Amino acid sequence: QVQLVESGGGLVQPGGSLRLSCAASGFTFSNYRMSWYRQAPGKERELVAYITATNSNANYADSVKGRFTISRDNAKNMVYLQMNSLDPEDTAVYYCSARWELARRYYWGQGTQVTVSS
């Protein structure tokens, strides 16, 4: 069974840091582009960052550029999102996603809540 399991969410103060993890299983992890999305109440789902399958090139939304870092460890089937200088506007449910576009294979985790508040 394909699984993407996020962890590391929680409550953090503004300016603080948090590291999200996503554990993948049930598919060939190294073949997939991995992404982090987030969705806040009443707002559209937003792509936060992605990292490519071939050479691990990373891209970021403008809103998080310079503050967040996505990385992957193919040996461990893990993808991470290091979040620094957190702001209340970063509050959202964060989802891990795996994509193999040519095969139309799209997998999603259940999400982990990140709350940035004093």
Side-chain angles (χ1 to χ4, degrees):
Q1 289 289 113
V2 169
Q3 282 195 314
L4 293 172
V5 182
E6 300 96 336
S7 62
L11 176 64
V12 64
Q13 295 187 43
S17 297
L18 211 58
R19 190 195 195 203
L20 305 184
S21 299
C22 175
S25 61
F27 64 98
T28 306
F29 178 80
S30 61
N31 289 343
Y32 285 73
R33 173 176 292 191
M34 300 301 298
S35 303
W36 287 97
Y37 288 80
R38 68 186 182 187
Q39 188 164 26
K43 296 187 177 181
E44 296 181 355
R45 186 190 67 181
E46 176 188 23
L47 175 64
V48 177
Y50 70 84
I51 185 164
T52 63
T54 304
N55 52 19
S56 295
N57 285 340
N59 290 84
Y60 303 91
D62 287 342
S63 59
V64 307
K65 198 170 299 180
R67 300 188 296 122
F68 291 11
T69 303
I70 188 171
S71 60
R72 67 190 297 162
D73 186 340
N74 287 348
K76 297 181 178 179
N77 289 355
M78 296 286 292
V79 62
Y80 307 96
L81 186 68
Q82 177 67 46
M83 305 184 294
N84 299 325
S85 301
L86 283 163
D87 186 271
E89 291 189 358
D90 296 316
T91 296
V93 177
Y94 284 71
Y95 298 93
C96 179
S97 175
R99 302 176 66 87
W100 184 12
E101 193 66 28
L102 288 176
R104 295 187 177 183
R105 295 181 182 269
Y106 314 121
Y107 304 135
W108 293 88
Q110 294 298 305
T112 185
Q113 176 71 48
V114 172
T115 302
V116 185
S117 179
S118 298

